[in-house]
Amino acid sequence: MRYTSFSTSFWASIVAAASALALVRGVPASKRDNGGTKLVVAHHIVGLTGGGGSGDYTLSTWKRDIALAYSKGIDGFALNVAADDWTYSQLNLAYQAAEELNNGFKLFLSIDMAAISGQRGCNSQDTAAYIRGLATSFIGKAAQLTVDGKPLVSTFAGELCNLGEADVFTGWNRQFAQHSDLAGKIHFVPAFFIDIQQFHNFQNVMDGDFNFNGAWRPDFTTATASQFLGDGVDLDHLTPQQQGTIASTLGSFQIDQWHIDQLGLVANSAHTYMTSISPWFFTHFGANSYNKNFIYDTDDHLYARRWETVIANRDKVDIVQLLTWNDFGESHYIGPIQGNLPTGAAAWADNFDHQGFLALTSYFAQWFKTGAEPTVTSDQLLMWARPHPKHAQASSDPLPPPTNYELTQDQLWAVVLATAPGTVTLATSNCVSQQFSVQRGLNKVNMTLTPGGYMRGTLERNGATVIDLKPSGYKFDPNPAVYNFNAFVALGTA
C-alpha cells in the first residue's frame, strides 16, 4: 500500500506478527462500550495524489472524493502521508476542501512510518521532528477529526522506529507523544505491527490501537491451510465443513478481541479501538519494483461478513477504518480509479472499478453507527469475481501467480439488498445458472464460474424483473495473458 519499495522481509514480518497472535491468550481486561459516537473512516493514500503526474489532485478532486465518501456514510479520511515533496501541498488541499464543503466530513493523519523509513530513515531525532511537524501543522485545522476532544493522529507501522532514542518505546514517548510539541494535544492511535503483548510498554503513548490487519487473516495461507482445515486438505475440493471453517475464520472477531484485551493493559490510555474492514487484497509487483506478489483470502463474501462481525461486536469497537479508498497497488480500493497509480498497477486496476462496494458501505456504516439494521428502500444487486480461473496459466506474465493463489475459489459472489422477498438468478454462461430465494434485507449468494463465460444476475418479484445486470466488460478468461486476481465489480439497482 505504501509506495516505497520494500523488501519481502517487511511483508513477512507482518504475517509473522499475525501468526504470533495465535499464542496470545485472553486476559480479563475487555473493553466495554463507553457510549461514544461510532465512526467510519476510509484510508486515503496522499502519496498517489501528487508528484507532477497527470493524475495530480486539485481542490476539486478532493471535494469530489469527500462528497462521494460522505454520501456513502463515511465520516472522514485517514490521510496516509510520508515524506514526499507534495505531502504538505496535498494535505492543505484536502483540509481546504473539507472546510469549504463544510458538511461535517473530517480528516486526520495516518503517518506512514514504513514509507518514511524508506525515504529518510526512522531512527533519528530529525525524523521525529519531521513527523511532529506534520502533526502540528494540521491538527489545528477546522476539518480535523477529534476523539475525546483531541485531534486524532494514527500511523501505518512505526514499531521498528526508535526516533533517535534507546528503544522504540522510549522513542515514541519522548520524541512524539510526550514531546512538548504534542504532549496532551493529540489522541494517538497507531497501527504498530508488534507482538501485542508488548502494548503495555507504550504507556503514555498509545491512546488506542488501530488493528490494520484486522480486515484480513494474513495467518491463513496456503502453507498454513492444513492447520485450519486438517491434514491433506485439497483446496480445489473443499468439503462443506472445510468451507464453513474458512468462512468462520475470515469472519472471526478473535484477533480483534486479543487486541482489545492487550490494549486494556496499557496504562494512561483511553483504550480507543479502531479496527479495519476491506473487500479485497491482491498485489503483483516484481523484485525490480515494489517486490510484493501475493494475496490474502478475500472470498466467502468477506466484505459483508467482516462488517457483520464488527457490528455484532460494536460495543467493543469505536472506529471502523475502511481499507482503502485508493490503494490500487493492493487492489483494495472502493473509491474512483484516479490519481497517479503506482507504476504497473494499471495492469490489474484499469477497468476494474470497485465503487459497487460503496453500496454495501452505506448500508453497513449506518448499521454500525446506529446499532439498528437499516430498512432497505431500494433493490440493489452487487456481483464480483476474478477475471480468470485460479489455475490458469498466463501466457505473457514474467511473474508467477501470487503467493496464496491456491486459496481462491472460482466463484461468482453476489449480495442482494432486497426491499421484499424475491428470486435471484445468477448465470455464468448461456446454459449454466442457479436460482436463489431472497428475503427482505441483505442476502449473500454465490455460484461456480464457467471458463469462457460471463456474469449475470437478475432479481424478480411477483413475475416482474426488478434488476437485470450483465456487465459487458467481464469474461472469465481461461487463457489470460497476465495474472490478475483483482475483483471485477458490478452493481445493478432498481
Side-chain angles (χ1 to χ4, degrees), residues 284 393-400 479-483:
H284 194 55
Q393 298 295 307
S395 61
S396 304
D397 199 325
L399 298 179
N479 300 298
V482 296
Y483 294 111

Coordinates of all heavy atoms in Angstrom, one line a residue, residues 284 393-400 479-483:
H284 N 0.8 -7.5 -7.3 CA 1.5 -8.3 -8.3 C 2.8 -7.5 -8.8 O 2.9 -7.3 -10.0 CB 0.6 -8.7 -9.4 CG 1.1 -9.8 -10.3 ND1 1.5 -11.0 -9.8 CD2 1.2 -9.8 -11.6 CE1 1.8 -11.8 -10.9 NE2 1.6 -11.0 -12.0
Q393 N -2.9 -20.5 -16.7 CA -1.5 -20.2 -16.9 C -1.4 -19.0 -17.8 O -1.8 -19.0 -19.0 CB -0.8 -21.4 -17.6 CG -0.8 -22.7 -16.8 CD 0.0 -22.6 -15.5 OE1 1.2 -22.2 -15.6 NE2 -0.6 -22.9 -14.4
A394 N -0.9 -17.9 -17.3 CA -0.7 -16.7 -18.0 C 0.4 -16.8 -19.1 O 1.5 -17.3 -18.8 CB -0.4 -15.5 -17.1
S395 N 0.0 -16.4 -20.3 CA 1.0 -16.6 -21.4 C 2.1 -15.6 -21.5 O 3.1 -15.9 -22.1 CB 0.2 -16.6 -22.7 OG -0.4 -15.3 -22.9
S396 N 1.9 -14.4 -20.9 CA 3.0 -13.4 -21.1 C 3.4 -12.7 -19.8 O 3.9 -11.6 -19.9 CB 2.4 -12.4 -22.1 OG 2.0 -12.9 -23.3
D397 N 3.2 -13.3 -18.7 CA 3.5 -12.7 -17.4 C 4.9 -13.1 -17.0 O 5.1 -14.3 -16.8 CB 2.4 -13.0 -16.4 CG 2.4 -12.1 -15.2 OD1 3.5 -11.6 -14.8 OD2 1.3 -11.8 -14.7
P398 N 5.8 -12.1 -16.7 CA 7.1 -12.5 -16.3 C 7.1 -13.0 -14.8 O 8.1 -13.6 -14.3 CB 7.9 -11.2 -16.4 CG 6.9 -10.1 -16.3 CD 5.7 -10.7 -16.9
L399 N 6.0 -12.8 -14.1 CA 5.9 -13.2 -12.7 C 5.1 -14.4 -12.6 O 4.2 -14.7 -13.4 CB 5.3 -12.1 -11.8 CG 6.1 -10.8 -11.8 CD1 5.3 -9.8 -10.9 CD2 7.5 -10.9 -11.2
P400 N 5.3 -15.2 -11.5 CA 4.4 -16.4 -11.2 C 3.1 -15.9 -10.7 O 3.0 -14.7 -10.3 CB 5.2 -17.2 -10.2 CG 6.0 -16.1 -9.5 CD 6.4 -15.1 -10.5
N479 N -7.6 -18.3 -20.6 CA -6.3 -18.2 -21.2 C -5.8 -16.7 -21.1 O -5.6 -16.0 -22.1 CB -6.4 -18.6 -22.7 CG -6.8 -20.0 -22.8 OD1 -6.1 -20.9 -22.4 ND2 -7.9 -20.2 -23.5
P480 N -5.6 -16.2 -19.9 CA -5.1 -14.8 -19.7 C -3.7 -14.6 -20.1 O -2.9 -15.5 -20.1 CB -5.3 -14.6 -18.2 CG -5.0 -16.0 -17.6 CD -5.6 -17.0 -18.6
A481 N -3.4 -13.4 -20.5 CA -2.0 -13.0 -20.9 C -1.2 -12.8 -19.6 O 0.0 -13.2 -19.6 CB -2.0 -11.8 -21.8
V482 N -1.8 -12.2 -18.6 CA -1.1 -11.9 -17.3 C -2.0 -12.3 -16.2 O -3.3 -12.5 -16.4 CB -0.7 -10.4 -17.2 CG1 0.3 -10.0 -18.3 CG2 -2.0 -9.6 -17.3
Y483 N -1.5 -12.6 -15.0 CA -2.2 -12.9 -13.9 C -2.9 -11.7 -13.3 O -2.3 -10.6 -13.1 CB -1.3 -13.5 -12.8 CG -0.8 -14.9 -13.2 CD1 0.6 -15.0 -13.5 CD2 -1.6 -16.0 -13.4 CE1 1.1 -16.2 -13.9 CE2 -1.1 -17.2 -13.8 CZ 0.3 -17.3 -14.0 OH 0.8 -18.5 -14.4

